[in-house]
Amino acid sequence: MAHLIILGATGSLGRHVLRQALAAGHVVTVSVRTPSRLPPDLREQVSVDSRDLSFGVPLELFRGQDTLINCAGHVAEGEPFVGLIDRLVTSVESLAITERPVCWFLAGAALLDIDPSGRRGVDLDSVKATYWPHQVNFERLRRSRLDWRLLCPGPMVEDPPIGIDRLRISLDTLPVEMVASVRDLPDSQLVPLFASVVPEIIVPYADAAAVMLANLDRGNAMAQHRVGLA
């Protein structure tokens, strides 16, 4: 049993994280702007914090928590999304090292390495135009000394779970096999190649939630890594 705080618990992914966390017996606090959006059957089982985090994140929000799981924000928001992640990281950094929770954040598959040179989807101009906040957030995490993990799934869907034992899970690289010649391809040819593997990396929200909740141990193999799913 762990003490968890979930941000964005009423969103598409957050709802699955919340329900699974409670089913596993964790003690859960949620930070949501609109508590009425919480499922009625779960509302009485959680502690609710409804403060607006747009301008600052109070330290006491994270004190006593073993894990922070952030499902709040969206890459399409651009600068506000970047600002949110920076405020969260800064707040946790301000705690004493022994008080800092393990932190799960969310990005996307475009942040994973495509080939051994380290090229990523987000490095490609047509992809960067939308997904650049993931790169900025990643760099912010890398500058920190937090025990962070960055989930980088492809598109997520409301399908029945596959089960994490059947998922392909990777660290820092795309979880699909790429053609051997990928390192020699110019960026212009990487775009259609990256697009061609997207169907392989579609995962149910329930499985993405399960991966995070199965990896709450401090300093485990996923610590300070990007995590891919397929």
Side-chain angles (χ1 to χ4, degrees):
M1 180 186 74
H3 287 74
L4 310 181
I5 181 165
I6 304 169
L7 279 63
T10 58
S12 298
L13 177 59
R15 290 196 303 269
H16 286 274
V17 175
L18 172 58
R19 195 170 290 277
Q20 290 183 31
L22 290 172
H26 297 304
V27 178
V28 178
T29 298
V30 296
S31 175
V32 292
R33 282 180 289 188
T34 312
S36 61
R37 292 182 58 197
L38 288 165
D41 61 319
L42 303 183
R43 204 174 301 156
E44 300 304 317
Q45 301 181 53
V46 301
S47 298
V48 180
D49 190 295
S50 58
R51 282 175 288 192
D52 187 351
L53 306 182
S54 299
F55 302 102
V57 181
L59 294 186
E60 62 266 23
L61 192 61
F62 303 131
R63 281 204 172 98
Q65 302 294 341
D66 299 308
T67 304
L68 157 65
I69 299 179
N70 181 59
C71 301
H74 191 277
V75 68
E77 297 170 351
E79 289 292 351
F81 183 41
V82 169
L84 172 64
I85 301 306
D86 180 60
R87 288 192 296 277
L88 294 177
V89 172
T90 299
S91 183
V92 178
E93 284 178 326
S94 299
L95 293 170
I97 292 176
T98 55
E99 293 184 295
R100 294 174 185 172
V102 168
C103 298
W104 268 108
F105 293 95
L106 185 66
L111 195 60
L112 297 168
D113 295 352
I114 296 173
D115 63 29
S117 74
R119 280 191 298 179
R120 307 166 188 157
V122 77
D123 296 326
L124 309 175
D125 288 342
S126 59
V127 179
K128 183 189 300 184
T130 299
Y131 295 99
W132 63 268
H134 287 327
Q135 176 65 27
V136 177
N137 292 341
F138 176 46
E139 292 302 328
R140 178 65 182 91
L141 289 172
R142 291 179 70 183
R143 292 195 303 272
S144 80
R145 298 184 65 184
L146 304 184
D147 187 338
W148 57 266
R149 299 97 197 267
L150 187 57
L151 191 69
C152 299
M156 291 183 285
V157 293
E158 283 288 359
D159 283 351
I162 298 169
I164 59 176
D165 57 324
R166 296 178 58 195
L167 291 177
R168 283 171 285 171
I169 301 176
S170 62
L171 297 181
D172 302 318
T173 62
L174 280 171
V176 295
E177 188 172 346
M178 305 296 286
V179 296
S181 60
V182 63
R183 71 178 66 198
D184 301 319
L185 295 177
D187 286 358
S188 60
Q189 293 183 35
L190 268 186
V191 174
L193 179 62
F194 182 73
S196 73
V197 303
V198 168
E200 293 186 59
I201 56 176
I202 296 173
V203 295
Y205 285 109
D207 287 312
V211 168
M212 289 190 285
L213 290 169
N215 290 277
L216 304 180
D217 294 338
R218 194 171 301 277
N220 82 353
M222 291 185 178
Q224 299 185 330
H225 286 286
R226 295 159 285 155
V227 180
L229 305 176

